[in-house]
Amino acid sequence: MAKGPEKNTKNKALHTKLLKRKKAKLQEEKKERTLRLKALVAKMNEKKNNNDTII
């Protein structure tokens, strides 16, 4: 009794590797975006404080 064709685990492993890479890239972009937003908020708060002290 034949079990059928062998499973192609090479493609499955490659697919998993690519998905992990994609997931890591998205997480890195998310971190960078939050850091940029934090820097922008800090800059705007500093600018606001400087304007308040001048007036």
Side-chain angles (χ1 to χ4, degrees):
M1 218 167 153
K3 290 187 177 181
E6 289 185 25
K7 292 191 176 188
N8 192 348
T9 56
K10 185 178 180 184
N11 281 344
K12 197 174 207 179
L14 181 61
H15 183 69
T16 303
K17 179 182 175 185
L18 291 174
L19 285 180
K20 283 183 181 179
R21 195 184 299 173
K22 181 179 178 182
K23 199 173 194 180
K25 182 181 176 185
L26 290 175
Q27 284 181 339
E28 187 64 32
E29 288 175 353
K30 188 175 180 181
K31 280 184 186 178
E32 288 176 5
R33 183 167 192 258
T34 55
L35 288 175
R36 278 189 279 127
L37 284 174
K38 282 183 182 181
L40 184 63
V41 168
K43 184 178 176 184
M44 293 305 291
N45 285 338
E46 183 179 325
K47 187 176 180 181
K48 182 180 175 184
N49 289 339
N50 285 341
N51 286 342
D52 287 344
T53 57
I54 293 172
I55 295 175

